[in-house]
Amino acid sequence: NAGVTQTPKFQVLKTGQSMTLQCAQDMNHNSMYWYRQDPGMGLRLIYYSASEGTTDKGEVPNGYNVSRLNKREFSLRLESAAPSQTSVYFCASSDTGSTTDTQYFGPGTRLTVL
Amino acid sequence: QKEVEQNSGPLSVPEGAIASLNCTYSDRGSQSFFWYRQYSGKSPELIMFIYSNGDKEDGRFTAQLNKASQYVSLLIRDSQPSDSATYLCAVPSGGGADGLTFGKGTHLIIQP
């Protein structure tokens, strides 16, 4: 039982390049999330998927798109990377998405945009 | 937009003492509260969850909730060097599946 996995672990992009961050969970969870974490800013929600087939914007969605490929996988795409998107990206999942559910986090992707 | 406030620290505590971490939140309607621990370079992991007023104890950890004052705290008894980490307070952003709103975290240092 691997929990939440993310690929890649590290990535360096040039401004304007695109890339997709992959996330998968093997806990049969319904809800999945993408956060970014910046020094001094804490964790901020980018997008979430309450259940398979649905996605919604979080606090900081600009410059990102997401795809809930199936119940296990939730990807985050940067179409045209900008230096402001340099951050650590965490994927998380929870069972039912209720207000008492624990969110389990993946190991993160450290992204640098030059 | 919900807000969660924490003192960023660092908070330095001698080994064996009690570490007290505090968090205030803006939305009086918030019902549940999470404490996550994050070691440097690692992902957050849940250590405590509380939704009722009063205290909740789990081993060396005690979460305290005061909804009237919109205040939640985390006490760590018999602090160990392995407790040195950043502690994140979080509340559900909306209905639960909307994700969590996090504070910026308090950096705790346990001095041997």
Side-chain angles (χ1 to χ4, degrees):
Chain A
N1 193 339
V4 181
T5 57
Q6 292 182 237
T7 55
K9 287 187 169 54
F10 301 93
Q11 184 71 48
V12 179
L13 293 177
K14 294 181 180 178
T15 297
Q17 288 185 317
S18 63
M19 79 161 294
T20 299
L21 281 66
Q22 305 288 353
C23 173
Q25 51 90 11
D26 63 1
M27 296 176 282
N28 201 36
H29 285 173
N30 288 296
S31 301
M32 299 184 73
Y33 313 86
W34 277 105
Y35 294 89
R36 60 177 289 174
Q37 186 173 35
D38 304 296
M41 295 297 294
L43 282 151
R44 292 181 293 169
L45 184 67
I46 305 171
Y47 269 94
Y48 63 96
S49 171
S51 61
E52 186 179 356
T54 68
T55 61
D56 283 287
K57 295 179 180 179
E59 180 186 355
V60 289
N62 290 346
Y64 305 95
N65 285 301
V66 290
S67 295
R68 184 75 184 266
L69 304 170
N70 47 56
K71 191 172 185 178
R72 289 186 63 249
E73 299 173 288
F74 188 37
S75 63
L76 178 71
R77 182 161 177 84
L78 286 71
E79 291 291 351
S80 179
S84 60
Q85 294 178 305
T86 293
S87 189
V88 181
Y89 292 85
F90 289 103
C91 177
S93 71
S94 67
D95 187 7
T96 64
S98 77
T99 56
T100 58
D101 260 1
T102 298
Q103 288 192 15
Y104 297 87
F105 285 80
T109 294
R110 189 174 297 272
L111 175 67
T112 301
V113 183
L114 303 175
Chain B
Q1 183 71 31
K2 294 186 181 183
E3 293 182 355
V4 177
E5 299 289 337
Q6 296 181 257
N7 188 323
S8 62
L11 174 65
S12 187
V13 173
E15 183 176 356
I18 296 175
S20 178
L21 304 160
N22 304 315
C23 170
T24 59
Y25 57 95
S26 63
D27 183 2
R28 188 169 291 277
S30 294
Q31 294 294 313
S32 52
F33 306 86
F34 300 83
W35 281 102
Y36 281 82
R37 177 177 62 199
Q38 187 175 25
Y39 292 114
S40 180
K42 302 296 185 182
S43 57
E45 58 176 334
L46 182 75
I47 52 171
M48 289 290 285
F49 157 71
I50 187 168
Y51 63 89
S52 298
N53 264 336
D55 295 359
K56 178 181 179 181
E57 187 174 318
D58 184 1
R60 295 186 296 111
F61 298 95
T62 299
Q64 299 177 319
L65 175 59
N66 184 327
K67 290 185 178 180
S69 300
Q70 295 177 236
Y71 177 96
V72 57
S73 63
L74 179 70
L75 302 179
I76 306 174
R77 291 183 301 281
D78 188 23
S79 297
Q80 303 296 310
S82 59
D83 294 326
S84 297
T86 296
Y87 289 80
L88 305 168
C89 176
V91 300
S93 300
D98 301 0
L100 295 171
T101 297
F102 284 86
K104 295 179 182 179
T106 297
H107 182 42
L108 175 66
I109 299 171
I110 306 301
Q111 295 178 321

